[in-house]
Every structure is written in structure tokens, then in C-alpha cells.
Amino acid sequence: MLFDRVKELSEQRGENLKIVAQKLGFSENAFYKWKTQSPKSETLEKVADYFDVSTDYLLGRTNKKRYNDLTEKNDVQTIAAHHDGEDWTEEELEEIEQFKRFVAMRREARKHKGD
């Protein structure tokens, strides 16, 4: 899955795997090794940053490319609706959205800390 995702993202940019590997400072065949070996977490993060996707997307854990894509704006209103009948301002809904992003980043950091 990982190799396929990287190849697909490369093609979407009009680049081949060799060029992407060189841009990232990897050996020319680095990505092909991923067919049989798992990369280090730092390497995976570098690739995710290059393509502006989450590591979960690269690993095939989700089909959503970015953390912001993981939840829709309506989810914030769903969360807010569970509060005891109060109306929420746009500012408060944005704060809820920011907190969701913060929690997602912490979850990812904890996951990588265990690597």
C-alpha cells in the first residue's frame, strides 16, 4: 500500500519515483525497497510533508489525504449540537475545529513516539 500511494502521489505531480527520491535526499531506489521493508518514521514523515498528506494516508490507514480532510465542517456542528441546547457563535465553532486539529496532531505525535 505504501509504495502504491507514493507512486500515485508522484505521478499526480508529474514526477517519477527516482526524481522524488533524489529531491528528498534518498537513494534512487529507496521507494522500491518499501515493497519489502518499512521505512523509518522520520523518513515516512519527510515523504508525507513533501506530498502534503498524512502518514496515515501513506500507510493506507485512511483514504483522506490530510488531517483537515478527516472531518468535515458539519462534524463541528454535530459536536456542538451535543452541548445542552446552546447556540454557538462562528468563533466558538472555529475554536472547536482548532481543538480537533490539535487533538489529531497530538494523536499522531504519540503514535510516532512509540516507533
Side-chain angles (χ1 to χ4, degrees):
M1 175 63 75
L2 176 58
F3 173 82
D4 295 329
R5 288 275 167 103
V6 173
K7 185 176 180 186
E8 175 187 329
L9 290 166
S10 297
E11 290 170 352
Q12 288 173 0
R13 283 185 168 220
E15 299 174 333
N16 63 42
L17 292 174
K18 179 180 175 181
I19 290 172
V20 174
Q22 289 172 341
K23 285 183 175 183
L24 293 172
F26 303 158
S27 69
E28 291 180 2
N29 295 316
F31 295 121
Y32 290 95
K33 292 178 185 176
W34 292 6
K35 288 183 174 185
T36 58
Q37 300 172 3
S38 297
K40 294 181 180 179
S41 60
E42 305 87 45
T43 304
L44 188 64
E45 288 175 14
K46 193 172 185 179
V47 174
D49 289 345
Y50 179 79
F51 289 116
D52 190 29
V53 297
S54 70
T55 54
D56 281 343
Y57 177 78
L58 289 177
L59 294 171
R61 293 179 181 164
T62 181
N63 289 325
K64 305 285 185 171
K65 290 185 177 180
R66 294 170 196 84
Y67 287 112
N68 290 346
D69 295 341
L70 292 175
T71 56
E72 299 295 326
K73 192 74 167 176
N74 291 340
D75 290 347
V76 174
Q77 293 176 344
T78 301
I79 292 168
H82 290 285
H83 195 270
D84 200 18
E86 289 184 33
D87 289 330
W88 296 88
T89 66
E90 284 298 316
E91 183 178 302
E92 290 168 329
L93 291 173
E94 180 57 32
E95 288 177 16
I96 293 170
E97 183 65 38
Q98 289 173 359
F99 184 69
K100 283 179 21 189
R101 288 191 295 265
F102 169 74
V103 170
M105 286 188 306
R106 286 193 53 203
R107 181 184 322 124
E108 185 71 15
R110 282 192 299 268
K111 189 175 359 175
H112 288 295
K113 193 175 184 179
D115 288 347

